[in-house]
Amino acid sequence: MMVSCKEVSQLVSRSLDHPLPISERLVVHMHLMVCKLCSRYRRQLHFLQRAARRLPEHLDETAMPPLSDEAKQRIRADLDADKENS
Amino acid sequence: MPTASDPHHWLDNYGDALYRYAMLRLRDSMLAEDLVQDTLLAAMQARYAGQSSERTWLIGILKHKIVDHLRKARRERPLGDDIDAAADQTADLFDQHGHWRIDISQWSDPDKALEQKEFWRIFRECLGHLPPRMGDALMMRELDGMSTEEICQELAIDTTNNMWVILSRARLRMRQCLDTNWFHRQREDKA
């Protein structure tokens, strides 16, 4: 059975979310044996998933602004108010 | 023996991390500030069991608040919009026979990128460039580890099949963005 790179790219992505049925796994496997671009693409998607999972540990390195001082003060006051009420 | 921690200590030590995480997911600073506050208030009521680090525990509480918010938001602003509108920018990447129209260049030593600060900045920006709901779906999948069925429910996407298509496009766009803004530049620096 012939599948296109476009279909394989979708199946490779799907395999990251859900195990593929054996027939589709076979089709992908055969295609990857002869297609250098799709093989690279598959490796790169696996890398993307690994990186995405580690992003939360690296948020301080992303140049995103921190919580502003005003917001910190406001939250601090609200925490105190809540403590007194409880 | 874990002790009850002071909420002020949480705010001082993890406030920025919580805020950045909320901004990553919600892209709205007022909302992000509110959820940081809600998270700390909820944490005061809860008990820290000491099984994970305090930071991980607090981010876990925040994640729940974020998913609650996304669920409510999609009730108020039901479906439509950007996922379809962004329809298929990725279609141009294949010719009419479904062959790659672009070169999928090799990425040299991608794991080394994970050690570099600049890489994370670009990674975050690439996520930010996805159409919002596409980004929401990808982050629910990769950061929250939700199943595609759960994501369909939360985002009111009608079929799992559509969900797979959306995730596949999101990944392809992320691949393109990282290739252009990081790996391509690495190749040029070497050349």
Side-chain angles (χ1 to χ4, degrees):
Chain A
M1 194 178 109
M2 289 288 290
V3 282
S4 67
C5 296
K6 186 175 183 180
E7 289 166 286
V8 168
S9 75
Q10 289 169 356
L11 288 170
V12 162
S13 168
R14 187 184 299 189
S15 74
L16 295 175
D17 303 318
H18 207 273
L20 294 179
I22 187 100
S23 55
E24 291 183 334
R25 230 181 305 162
L26 211 61
V27 164
V28 170
H29 184 76
M30 303 285 278
H31 181 97
L32 293 180
M33 290 212 304
V34 295
C35 181
K36 192 174 68 181
L37 297 188
C38 285
S39 303
R40 281 183 191 159
Y41 185 67
R42 179 181 165 276
R43 272 200 300 280
Q44 293 173 0
L45 285 203
H46 279 265
F47 167 75
L48 272 179
Q49 186 171 55
R50 251 192 343 272
R53 288 177 177 168
R54 288 180 55 178
L55 175 63
E57 306 156 36
H58 292 276
L59 285 179
D60 296 341
E61 297 159 47
T62 55
M64 293 171 90
L67 191 58
S68 70
D69 288 336
E70 295 80 31
K72 275 183 190 154
Q73 269 174 21
R74 198 173 60 241
I75 293 173
R76 199 167 280 134
D78 284 337
L79 291 175
D80 287 339
D82 192 77
K83 230 190 218 164
E84 278 162 25
N85 290 339
S86 58
Chain B
M1 178 78 186
T3 51
S5 213
D6 178 12
H8 288 282
H9 156 87
W10 292 334
L11 182 62
D12 293 338
N13 286 280
Y14 312 115
D16 291 340
L18 291 169
Y19 176 71
R20 287 185 176 118
Y21 190 84
M23 277 301 281
L24 171 74
R25 303 295 301 269
L26 301 167
R27 305 169 284 266
D28 175 331
S29 58
M30 282 197 357
L31 187 57
E33 287 170 8
D34 284 351
L35 288 197
V36 171
Q37 176 168 334
D38 289 353
T39 297
L40 295 177
L41 289 172
M44 283 165 70
Q45 309 298 326
R47 176 162 296 177
Y48 172 54
Q51 273 151 353
S52 51
S53 73
E54 269 188 326
R55 186 183 193 275
T56 309
W57 174 64
L58 290 167
I59 291 213
I61 298 174
L62 174 62
K63 279 183 176 182
H64 282 288
K65 306 240 168 248
I66 289 169
V67 172
D68 281 346
H69 173 83
L70 291 173
R71 187 184 302 135
K72 274 186 218 136
R74 70 116 165 120
R75 262 192 227 124
E76 285 156 23
R77 184 181 56 96
L79 206 60
D81 71 12
D82 55 72
I83 288 182
D84 304 319
D88 206 2
Q89 284 191 16
T90 51
D92 323 336
L93 303 176
F94 299 94
D95 68 16
Q96 79 245 39
H97 306 294
H99 294 306
W100 291 106
R101 189 174 265 161
I102 50 165
D103 186 25
I104 302 289
S105 316
Q106 189 134 24
W107 288 356
S108 69
D109 207 356
D111 283 311
K112 215 178 80 196
L114 301 178
E115 319 284 316
Q116 301 185 50
K117 214 173 151 170
E118 178 72 358
F119 172 80
W120 290 108
R121 185 181 67 76
I122 288 168
F123 192 90
R124 214 278 307 172
E125 280 175 15
C126 287
L127 264 179
H129 285 139
L130 294 175
R133 280 157 45 91
M134 195 183 259
D136 289 345
L138 188 66
M139 287 191 271
M140 283 171 149
R141 177 72 197 118
E142 309 295 26
L143 305 186
D144 298 335
M146 288 168 66
S147 70
T148 43
E149 289 80 7
E150 288 171 306
I151 301 170
C152 281
Q153 277 201 345
E154 300 298 354
L155 294 181
I157 290 163
D158 46 0
T159 64
T160 345
N161 214 37
N162 276 352
M163 183 78 263
W164 279 327
V165 172
I166 289 163
L167 288 173
S168 172
R169 286 180 191 164
R171 289 178 175 127
L172 182 48
R173 289 167 73 128
M174 282 298 288
R175 188 265 160 209
Q176 290 302 93
C177 184
L178 286 180
D179 189 68
T180 309
N181 295 296
W182 175 263
F183 291 102
H184 180 71
R185 278 175 19 205
Q186 304 285 306
R187 285 194 292 274
E188 283 197 328
D189 287 351
K190 260 185 208 161

